[in-house]
Amino acid sequence: MDEIGSDGRLRHDVPMHVAKRLFIGLAGLFCIIVPTWELYRGVWPPNFASPFFLFIILGAYAVGIPLALAALFSPAVRWIVGTGRIDIVTRNPFFLRRYRLGPGDIADFRLRRIEWDSGGPTFSVVLTTLKGERFETRDFGTAATAEMFRDRISSVFLGKAAS
């Protein structure tokens, strides 16, 4: 997955699988449809309990709508790093975007520490362009692994990598 191909380019994928997209979308629709279906009689016709039931339904929408939007618009990302150029392709069911970045387009290339409540931190490599666009690799378990990957990207980008 993160191998240097015969053409000397490093390829790195951050996938958004169809199954994950479908699961997130169905979970979002469930959060919207079920509370609305079960509680709409408490809202209509209006009565003294309507605000309480409406509050619950709107809370369900506050969870379901972002999940449905994430399923539709979260991109799968592919990095293709070559000598002097980084091509980043982001793709979701509606859009395909290609970014071609040269040495003059990159503002920052650093590690990001991601804290989790259920375990230790993970790390990713973040590339920031001069235009303010941010591109992130997938998560790595340790800072050392993320640093090694950042150094690997830098070495291929600067033309110092051996196949």
Side-chain angles (χ1 to χ4, degrees), residues 26-126:
L26 290 174
L29 289 176
F30 180 84
C31 289
I32 293 167
I33 293 169
V34 171
T36 303
W37 181 258
E38 293 295 327
L39 300 176
Y40 80 92
R41 291 176 296 277
V43 176
W44 194 260
N47 59 60
F48 74 94
S50 291
F52 175 73
F53 288 110
L54 183 61
F55 183 72
I56 294 172
I57 290 172
L58 292 177
Y61 280 36
V63 173
I65 290 172
L67 282 173
L69 291 175
L72 292 174
F73 295 110
S74 291
V77 181
R78 171 171 257 204
W79 294 50
I80 303 170
V81 182
T83 304
R85 188 169 98 188
I86 298 176
D87 294 322
I88 299 176
V89 180
T90 62
R91 167 174 45 88
N92 68 28
F94 304 105
F95 302 107
L96 173 75
R97 285 197 165 134
R98 296 179 188 274
Y99 301 89
R100 289 202 163 98
L101 306 172
D105 299 320
I106 297 172
D108 191 22
F109 200 52
R110 62 181 175 79
L111 295 186
R112 175 178 170 233
R113 181 184 175 107
I114 305 162
E115 295 290 339
W116 298 96
D117 62 352
S118 60
T122 58
F123 301 85
S124 67
V125 179
V126 178

